Amino acid sequence: MSVTAAAGFQAAGTAAGLKTEGKDLALVVNTGPTRHAAAVFTTNKVAAAPVLWSRQAISDARADAVVINSGGANACTGTEGFQDAHATAEHAAQTLGISAVDVLLASTGLIGERLNMQAVLSGTTTCAEELNDDDAAGAAAAEAILTTDTVTKTAVAHGSGFTIGGMAKGAGMLAPGMATMLSVLTTDAVIDPQDLDAALREATRVSFNRADSDGCMSTNDTVFALASGAHPEADPAGVDLTEFQTALTELCQDLARQLIADAEGAHHQIAIRTVNAATEEEAETAGRAVARSNLFKTAIFGQDPNWGRILSAVGTTDVQFDPMTIDVAVNGIWVCRAGGIGEDRSLVDLSGREVEVVIDLKSGQAEATILTNDLTHDYVHENSAYSS
Amino acid sequence: MSVTAAAGFQAAGTAAGLKTEGKDLALVVNTGPTRHAAAVFTTNKVAAAPVLWSRQAISDARADAVVINSGGANACTGTEGFQDAHATAEHAAQTLGISAVDVLLASTGLIGERLNMQAVLSGTTTCAEELNDDDAAGAAAAEAILTTDTVTKTAVAHGSGFTIGGMAKGAGMLAPGMATMLSVLTTDAVIDPQDLDAALREATRVSFNRADSDGCMSTNDTVFALASGAHPEADPAGVDLTEFQTALTELCQDLARQLIADAEGAHHQIAIRTVNAATEEEAETAGRAVARSNLFKTAIFGQDPNWGRILSAVGTTDVQFDPMTIDVAVNGIWVCRAGGIGEDRSLVDLSGREVEVVIDLKSGQAEATILTNDLTHDYVHENSAYSS
């Protein structure tokens, strides 16, 4: 399904030769009638060339096409890298008969190396020739954006007069303000550009931004949302924004879960739910501190419900809580009560893949859930061997 | 040498039975004539019971003795844990014929478990009986405070009318605002309590606080400084504070290097020197961001001079720099020039244990060095298996 589930979109994915094997270049085209677009980018100051390009291109809230490549991030490549991004957009525009400033770009792969531009350009041409609105085309695009991912990540949602389709990649580096995470969301809703932008930001805030695999923020993180207005039963007056927001948020949360489930070398996928926080932001801060504790993450890998490392991580933040009243549960067992020893830790079963940590701050009524994973030998192996 | 190098100090270390084998309880006594004391503690809100005790005990800037145990952190142990700390201080005071509020405490080991108090109390008695001012006594104390450390960490400095002796432990969790790091520094200088406090804070700021092994801040981090005024050639008017500061800072930096060199499972010890920063604080922030990047740390383990991960980490901070002018060197090879590809990365030799990264921000004239280590399979192994 993926990005072609919504009416008004075509896609393709091809093996252009950027990676040693497999598909590595995707094209998504909005055939209208509307071509509204919104985006959320990495806040990393070292932004990749495609991010610099796309920030400019989307400033008018319109986009006709997105070109995404794996097999090279085009980050830390200086002015030459930006020229490569520009050339990619120009080539796509010529091939599709559109304007270059309506072409969005995203790249993923190794940073600090120039792209194989011959592969990018010929792959773009091939994709343009193979554009299709069927399921297979959406699946091919979803496959072409993968790096160390082991499976494609796609999702579809339906609502009153709209469909949303999405694809994402990212299997490591998931992080604050996102992940090396690329995602393209398409919808055939009738929606104003500013409403699309607001909906995307809210959905991202409580989904991709709360998936924190290893605390490292990428140079390339990007989420695009494109709206065609092509749904056969679309309300010309505009989609129900509340219903649309709910559907978009749930779809993004679904994709975020898929990303964490496939994180590099993870043996456990962990949901850290912080409850009774003074504010939602503080709940998020507490959960994120735990999600970034290598000591916590290695303990979970070792199937050790080491709640002291959870308290220690929360204690490094400025979140409101009393160390003498905080409770912590791991997989339903309240191993920490009132900041001290609670139920028998040997009752905690960490043999399964899913882990839920609940941190009760007893400081208010807000809550937030951060998704992360454990730190394993496989993580070290994949990330020490990746470029060599 | 260790803490008995300075005149006016006695020490002992014994196997009290807190650990399954080896020494695990240390006692250091200041025999005067002055008994000035200063301390720097963890800023973690989840502070261990000995930290809560010692913060109170040192509020009058006087201490006669320090009791340190390994084999149990007495952290996350609630009110019972604080009572255990109190009982330890009372017992040491009775045994030594001093006041309990002049006894400082520190503990290290697993968190979330009560101390074996029978071992702590009997070990304190044994240490009191074995107190000595010779080298062997200092060495025994330095050995008794170790946890997963593989070697003792000690240092001695001499100056005009003063000697400084120090011991430290910590082989993981080294972090911001210190490490699960305990250190006792002794000096026979004649120095006011407030000058001792100021000197300790400055020395700690540029040494232990810049050793960042895994970004995790302990519940127990503590550095104590004790001054006896007992040096035979001490100036009664007081030590030269400039000379003392320099000596204390260098001694702490020496100990910090020893800690990082023995960090859990490390294969490389890494100095990240950030130069030409707008401020010293910004230089520290940039270096710390790199030191906490698991992607950077696994790359170094894999002997991969992956400078893109360095730029990406710096980019997550709010430090002033231009991504298009920043330079980065790894072991002397400027692999990144002007934010792009510099010298041939294959020239970088990472086969040795020591690694130096230089980040040139080109934003000012300040610099700072953060010490860290790589992220290895051994780190994951040690920290996933530690309590099980």
Side-chain angles (χ1 to χ4, degrees):
Chain A
M1 298 297 283
S2 171
V3 290
T4 50
F9 292 93
Q10 296 181 324
T14 192
L18 287 151
K19 295 198 293 198
T20 50
E21 60 180 20
K23 293 187 171 64
D24 48 23
L25 199 120
L27 179 63
V28 180
V29 173
N30 182 352
T31 57
T34 68
R35 291 181 178 81
H36 301 324
V40 178
F41 299 103
T42 181
T43 56
N44 196 312
K45 286 184 178 178
V46 181
V51 170
L52 299 176
W53 171 267
S54 298
R55 275 188 189 139
Q56 296 275 344
I58 207 160
S59 58
D60 62 355
R62 171 181 175 144
D64 295 25
V66 181
V67 179
I68 305 185
N69 73 274
S70 53
N74 195 8
C76 305
T77 44
T79 50
E80 293 88 348
F82 189 80
Q83 286 162 3
D84 289 342
H86 189 175
T88 303
E90 288 287 357
H91 179 77
Q94 282 183 4
T95 307
L96 296 168
I98 59 176
S99 166
V101 297
D102 293 325
V103 177
L104 301 175
L105 303 175
S107 300
T108 178
L110 278 182
I111 57 183
E113 293 185 3
R114 294 281 297 281
L115 283 181
N116 173 348
M117 282 303 290
Q118 193 178 343
V120 170
L121 300 183
S122 69
T124 303
T125 303
T126 302
C127 278
E129 291 165 356
E130 295 178 355
L131 280 171
N132 199 301
D133 62 4
D134 63 10
D135 288 357
E143 188 185 333
I145 65 175
L146 304 183
T147 50
T148 56
D149 307 62
T150 63
V151 291
T152 57
K153 288 91 178 176
T154 64
V156 175
H158 297 282
S160 309
F162 71 88
T163 294
I164 307 173
M167 65 179 186
K169 66 78 47 179
M173 296 178 69
L174 299 176
M178 301 191 289
T180 285
M181 201 216 86
L182 303 180
S183 181
V184 178
L185 309 168
T186 56
T187 183
D188 44 22
V190 170
I191 185 168
D192 285 343
Q194 59 269 35
D195 290 333
L196 182 67
D197 183 73
L200 178 65
R201 287 181 192 283
E202 172 59 17
T204 299
R205 185 180 75 83
V206 297
S207 58
F208 301 126
N209 276 356
R210 290 187 181 167
D212 198 326
S213 171
D214 67 5
C216 297
M217 179 164 47
S218 155
T219 50
N220 289 62
D221 303 328
T222 302
V223 182
F224 290 128
L226 310 174
S228 68
H231 195 281
E233 296 159 26
D235 182 348
V239 72
D240 179 316
L241 288 177
T242 305
E243 185 187 356
F244 183 78
Q245 181 71 70
T246 301
L248 185 66
T249 298
E250 288 178 0
L251 183 136
C252 289
Q253 288 174 331
D254 182 3
L255 288 172
R257 275 191 296 272
Q258 293 181 49
L259 292 169
I260 285 289
D262 194 31
E264 280 170 4
H267 291 201
H268 292 87
Q269 52 198 94
I270 308 168
I272 302 168
R273 192 158 72 90
T274 305
V275 302
N276 297 321
T279 65
E280 186 180 350
E281 189 184 4
E282 291 200 357
E284 190 178 328
T285 298
R288 208 180 279 287
V290 176
R292 291 186 185 173
S293 163
N294 280 352
L295 290 167
F296 165 73
K297 291 155 79 88
T298 46
I300 296 298
F301 169 57
Q303 300 191 21
D304 170 15
N306 196 320
W307 57 271
R309 293 179 179 179
I310 297 172
L311 255 62
S312 181
V314 175
T316 62
T317 71
D318 56 3
V319 163
Q320 296 171 61
F321 76 102
D322 181 346
M324 291 304 195
T325 65
I326 186 173
D327 293 343
V328 175
V330 180
N331 278 356
I333 307 297
W334 289 92
V335 285
C336 169
R337 287 284 194 192
I341 300 156
E343 294 176 42
D344 185 354
R345 56 193 280 161
S346 70
L347 297 174
V348 179
D349 180 4
L350 288 171
S351 60
R353 189 170 172 91
E354 297 200 5
V355 178
E356 186 190 53
V357 172
V358 180
I359 302 166
D360 186 345
L361 295 178
K362 301 183 181 174
S363 300
Q365 298 181 319
E367 70 169 87
T369 299
I370 298 288
L371 304 178
T372 189
N373 45 257
D374 54 353
L375 178 57
T376 69
H377 289 296
D378 295 334
Y379 175 90
V380 173
H381 176 72
E382 285 200 37
N383 286 295
S384 59
Y386 188 75
S387 82
S388 52
Chain B
M1 297 299 282
S2 171
V3 290
T4 51
F9 291 94
Q10 296 181 325
T14 191
L18 287 151
K19 295 197 294 198
T20 51
E21 61 180 19
K23 293 188 171 64
D24 49 23
L25 198 119
L27 179 64
V28 180
V29 173
N30 182 352
T31 58
T34 67
R35 290 181 178 81
H36 301 323
V40 178
F41 298 103
T42 180
T43 56
N44 195 312
K45 286 184 177 177
V46 181
V51 170
L52 299 176
W53 171 268
S54 298
R55 276 188 189 138
Q56 297 274 345
I58 207 160
S59 57
D60 62 355
R62 171 181 173 142
D64 294 26
V66 181
V67 179
I68 304 185
N69 74 275
S70 53
N74 195 9
C76 304
T77 45
T79 50
E80 293 88 347
F82 188 80
Q83 287 163 3
D84 289 342
H86 188 176
T88 303
E90 287 288 357
H91 179 76
Q94 282 184 3
T95 307
L96 296 168
I98 59 176
S99 165
V101 296
D102 294 326
V103 177
L104 301 175
L105 303 176
S107 299
T108 179
L110 278 182
I111 58 182
E113 292 185 4
R114 294 281 298 279
L115 282 182
N116 174 347
M117 282 303 291
Q118 193 177 342
V120 170
L121 300 182
S122 68
T124 303
T125 304
T126 303
C127 277
E129 291 166 358
E130 295 179 356
L131 280 171
N132 200 300
D133 63 2
D134 63 8
D135 287 357
E143 188 185 333
I145 65 176
L146 304 182
T147 52
T148 55
D149 307 63
T150 63
V151 293
T152 58
K153 288 91 178 176
T154 64
V156 175
H158 297 281
S160 309
F162 72 89
T163 294
I164 307 174
M167 64 179 186
K169 66 78 47 180
M173 293 178 70
L174 299 176
M178 298 191 292
T180 285
M181 202 217 85
L182 304 180
S183 180
V184 179
L185 309 168
T186 56
T187 183
D188 45 23
V190 170
I191 185 168
D192 287 340
Q194 59 269 37
D195 290 333
L196 181 66
D197 183 74
L200 178 65
R201 288 180 191 283
E202 172 59 16
T204 299
R205 186 180 74 83
V206 297
S207 58
F208 300 126
N209 275 355
R210 290 187 181 167
D212 199 326
S213 170
D214 67 4
C216 297
M217 179 164 47
S218 156
T219 50
N220 289 63
D221 303 326
T222 302
V223 181
F224 291 128
L226 310 173
S228 70
H231 194 281
E233 295 160 25
D235 183 346
V239 72
D240 179 317
L241 289 176
T242 304
E243 184 186 358
F244 183 80
Q245 181 71 69
T246 300
L248 185 67
T249 297
E250 288 178 1
L251 183 136
C252 289
Q253 288 173 332
D254 182 3
L255 288 172
R257 275 191 296 272
Q258 293 181 49
L259 292 169
I260 285 289
D262 194 31
E264 279 170 4
H267 291 202
H268 291 88
Q269 52 198 96
I270 308 167
I272 302 168
R273 191 157 73 91
T274 305
V275 302
N276 297 321
T279 66
E280 186 180 350
E281 189 184 2
E282 290 201 358
E284 190 178 328
T285 299
R288 209 181 278 287
V290 176
R292 291 185 185 174
S293 163
N294 281 351
L295 290 167
F296 165 72
K297 290 155 79 88
T298 46
I300 295 299
F301 169 57
Q303 299 191 23
D304 170 14
N306 196 320
W307 58 269
R309 293 179 179 178
I310 297 172
L311 253 62
S312 181
V314 175
T316 63
T317 71
D318 56 3
V319 162
Q320 295 171 61
F321 77 101
D322 181 346
M324 290 303 195
T325 65
I326 186 173
D327 292 343
V328 175
V330 180
N331 279 356
I333 307 298
W334 289 92
V335 284
C336 170
R337 286 285 194 192
I341 301 155
E343 294 176 42
D344 184 354
R345 54 192 281 160
S346 70
L347 296 174
V348 179
D349 180 4
L350 288 171
S351 60
R353 189 171 171 90
E354 298 201 3
V355 178
E356 186 189 53
V357 171
V358 180
I359 302 166
D360 186 344
L361 294 178
K362 300 183 180 173
S363 300
Q365 298 181 318
E367 71 169 87
T369 299
I370 298 288
L371 304 178
T372 190
N373 45 257
D374 54 352
L375 177 57
T376 69
H377 289 296
D378 295 335
Y379 175 91
V380 174
H381 176 72
E382 286 200 36
N383 286 295
S384 59
Y386 188 77
S387 80
S388 51

